[in-house]
Amino acid sequence: MAKAEVLHWWTSSSESAAVKTIADAYRKAGGVWVDTAIAGADQARAVAINRIVGGNAPVAAQFNTTKQFQDLVEQNMLNNMDDVAAAEGWDKLLPDTVLNVIRIKGHYYAVPVNLHMQTWFWYSKAAFKKAGIAKEPATIDELFAALDKLKAAGLVGLAHGGQAWQETIVFQAMLANVGGKDLYLKVIRDRDAKAINSDAFKNVLLAFKRMQSYIDAGSPGRNWNDATAMLISGKAGFQIMGDWVKGEFAAAKQTAGKDFGCIAGFNPTAPYLIQGDAFVFPKTTVEPVVRAQKLLAKTLMTPSVQIEFNKLKGSIPIRSDVDTSSMDLCAQTGMAIMKDKSRVLGISEVYLTPDQNGALQDILTAFWNTKMPVEKVQKSIVNALKE
């Protein structure tokens, strides 16, 4: 029996339902699934790293498809899944943005399970109706006009969870939609001081700060799913968040296009910022453990698992060859955009080291929550990304 202790952070109701589809498929394939769920991505990763370094590693641990596990690879603490990748033809099936993160020096160190797009604009149709908003905004100006109408109608314009990572998502949405692809890459990938000090980037930061004027007093510290609940109940108009929120809508029996809407970007070339979830496999030569790791790697990429898991998780399948016709409107929109490779970019964590990302996050949160002058923010970002 291939026994696998799997460490992950999927603890919300929709996430638990999603991970159960993987566990069931693994059991069906002959494995024994031991579930270790730890609330909070940062906490779960810290536990995983401590256990791997301390010699008490799980069989598999969840990370994001970003630079988060690079240190573990460099310290030779992970098994690669090269033979599974070759047998399944990953190079043909997976997007380059993901391959560039999981393939390090020619070896495959993580098995990706999905693609999340982090900067969707979700809106409540009930709130729109109450505020007299007749149609979905098609430009950034129309977005702000809709937010003003929601506020005037006594509703919360932006349902926001005041946590640093959520502020970073709002910032990336503004950089992608107000700034555009070239500026996004110059700032986040190239860390170009001239671009960061430019007026174009100043406008992005001011648009980000303007979003803060539409939140409610209960925002600080709120969890993302509690913000989504405000859209579900029609108390708030918009939320800027990854497509994992769809799991919450689904659990509340709400349907895309009928009860809520999803906007991927405000122009046809707006960057589609992806990352996803992946599993890494701590280094071991113990035969039954290696067998369990390989069985799990194979199970995660099975087309039926890809569809069932992603339907519940709100993400889209990592494989480009699965039939997504049974998935919801937003997932289909996402899959269609993925076909236009020029729009597909990574989130900031794909390009920045965890330290750089943390420093950027601290500056953005300080700007969001205080009266820091925008020029100071620009200078601070230049310094933070210099390393």
Side-chain angles (χ1 to χ4, degrees), residues 299-312:
T299 304
L300 290 166
M301 288 285 249
T302 309
S304 59
V305 172
Q306 284 277 305
I307 290 285
E308 293 315 310
F309 170 79
N310 284 299
K311 267 186 191 170
L312 293 165

Side-chain angles (χ1 to χ4, degrees), residues 110-151:
V111 179
V113 284
N114 59 1
L115 284 174
H116 275 300
M117 204 287 272
Q118 247 191 18
T119 54
W120 285 90
F121 290 74
W122 307 93
Y123 64 88
S124 157
K125 295 225 170 194
F128 268 31
K129 207 172 163 183
K130 281 179 212 158
I133 301 164
K135 71 176 195 37
E136 177 177 296
T139 64
I140 283 287
D141 288 343
E142 287 179 13
L143 168 71
F144 282 118
L147 285 161
D148 288 336
K149 275 190 156 170
L150 287 156
K151 201 172 170 178

Side-chain angles (χ1 to χ4, degrees), residues 219-238:
S219 175
R222 178 187 287 138
N223 287 324
W224 67 267
N225 48 320
D226 296 325
T228 311
M230 295 167 68
L231 266 65
I232 290 168
S233 66
K235 287 193 180 82
F238 288 93

Side-chain angles (χ1 to χ4, degrees), residues 75-105:
Q75 288 159 28
N76 197 25
M77 289 189 167
L78 298 179
N79 278 344
N80 69 57
M81 289 291 138
D82 293 355
D83 47 355
V84 180
E88 301 272 323
W90 288 9
D91 284 4
K92 287 192 200 71
L93 292 175
L94 306 184
D96 292 344
T97 310
V98 171
L99 281 170
N100 293 341
V101 173
I102 65 170
R103 191 175 52 202
I104 299 171
K105 294 186 180 138

